């Protein structure tokens, strides 16, 4: 089984951008890694940032099976059906696959389907060297434990104390939820030089390890505004360089 990393953090800190930049860096390497990118945010936009078009989400499939449950023949293997449909929804790109989780369930009882989904996700994850999960702000999806074990839990923060405090909250929540992880790391994003020392100090006070400080990068802002994918960032863009020189290595990729 490969590595699973979950990118979390306060809203708008750059979780999706960081996820996309990590994927971009890995794609550029000679050493090929099989990658599954999972967009776990109900307001999914990792696909946009990667420049992909996704038509079907896991949420849509779950809904579809739930709705047709009564009409399905009793002898049909629902796990197999669910898995086959998820396989169809998997977008295969050159260098990575993308799966969008989509919206969480409506008002029905999805416990049965969710437990099937957990099994399917465990098996799917096994097929890749790296699974990277772009998570929504908050840990609701982790509390559903669709993915029950991660290697690195990464909290993206901006320069704010509240952003760093989120890392602390996430650590506590993971403990309460009994979510297993090997390392908890912090990535500071959109950081100015003058804040770096202070960020390290606050992080140290909270017992958090900072594995990278990505500067505010005009190129990221420009591509975002133009609606262009971040894979198009130049190699010498400051944010890209920080991801390549520190972050990838610290995560052990
Ligand atoms: N290093 C950076 N330099 C400049 N702009 C950045 C940088 N990182 C992210 N941004 C911009 O900040 C905004 C928020 O980034 P992003 O969508 O990745 O955050 P998020 O944490 O995924 O947000 P959400 O909580 O809504 O999912 C975007 O407009 C993005 O282009
Ligand atoms: Mg996001």
């Amino acid at each position: 089984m490969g590595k699973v990393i979950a990118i979390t953090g306060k809203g708008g800190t750059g979780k999706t951008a960081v996820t996309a930049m990590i994927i971009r860096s890995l794609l550029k390497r000679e050493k090929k890694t099989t990658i599954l990118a999972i967009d776990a945010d109900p307001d999914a936009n990792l696909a946009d940032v990667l420049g992909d078009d996704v038509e079907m989400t896991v949420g849509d499939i779950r809904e579809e099976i739930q709705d047709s449950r009564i009409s399905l023949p009793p002898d049909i293997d629902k796990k197999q059906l669910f898995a086959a449909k998820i396989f169809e929804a998997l977008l295969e790109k050159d260098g990575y696959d993308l799966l969008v989780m989509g919206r969480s369930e409506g008002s029905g009882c999805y416990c049965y389907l969710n437990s099937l989904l957990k099994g399917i996700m465990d098996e799917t994850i096994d097929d890749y060297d790296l699974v990277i999960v772009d998570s929504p702000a908050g840990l609701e999806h982790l509390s559903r434990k669709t993915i029950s074990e991660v290697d690195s839990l990464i909290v993206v923060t901006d320069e704010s104390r509240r952003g760093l405090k989120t890392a602390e909250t996430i650590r506590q929540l993971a403990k309460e939820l009994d979510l297993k992880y090997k390392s908890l790391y912090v990535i500071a994003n959109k950081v100015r030089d003058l804040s770096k020392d202070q960020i390290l100090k606050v992080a140290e006070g909270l017992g958090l390890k900072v594995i990278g400080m990505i500067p505010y990068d005009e190129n990221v802002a420009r591509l975002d505004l133009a609606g262009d994918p971040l894979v198009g960032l130049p190699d010498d863009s400051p944010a890209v360089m920080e991801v390549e020189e520190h972050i990838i290595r610290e995560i052990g990729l």
Side-chain angles (χ1 to χ4, degrees), residues 9-18 21 41 43 45 49 134-137 156 189-191 214-221 223-225 230 239:
K10 184 167 82 74
T13 47
K15 298 177 290 295
T16 303
V18 169
M21 288 192 285
D41 191 336
D43 299 318
N45 73 338
V49 176
D134 178 17
S135 313
V156 180
N189 185 32
K190 300 190 250 189
V191 173
I214 305 176
Y216 181 88
D217 187 329
E218 303 279 346
N219 289 323
V220 175
L223 290 175
D224 178 275
L225 211 52
L230 289 188

Side-chain angles (χ1 to χ4, degrees), residues 2 6 9 18 20 27 31 44 52 58 93 100 107 109 141 153-154 166 171 176 195 203 207 211 219 231-232 249 252:
V18 169
L27 292 180
K31 179 182 140 206
D52 298 329
V58 173
K93 299 292 292 187
V100 178
S107 54
C109 177
H141 74 294
L153 198 52
I154 297 183
T166 304
R171 179 164 51 190
E176 281 164 29
S195 316
I211 59 164
N219 289 323
V231 279
R249 198 166 325 143

Side-chain angles (χ1 to χ4, degrees), residues 130-151:
L130 173 71
V131 177
I132 182 163
V133 188
D134 178 17
S135 313
L139 279 189
E140 294 81 10
H141 74 294
L142 291 180
S143 70
R144 280 197 294 277
K145 287 203 183 166
T146 310
I147 294 171
S148 51
E149 250 183 88
V150 303
D151 291 275

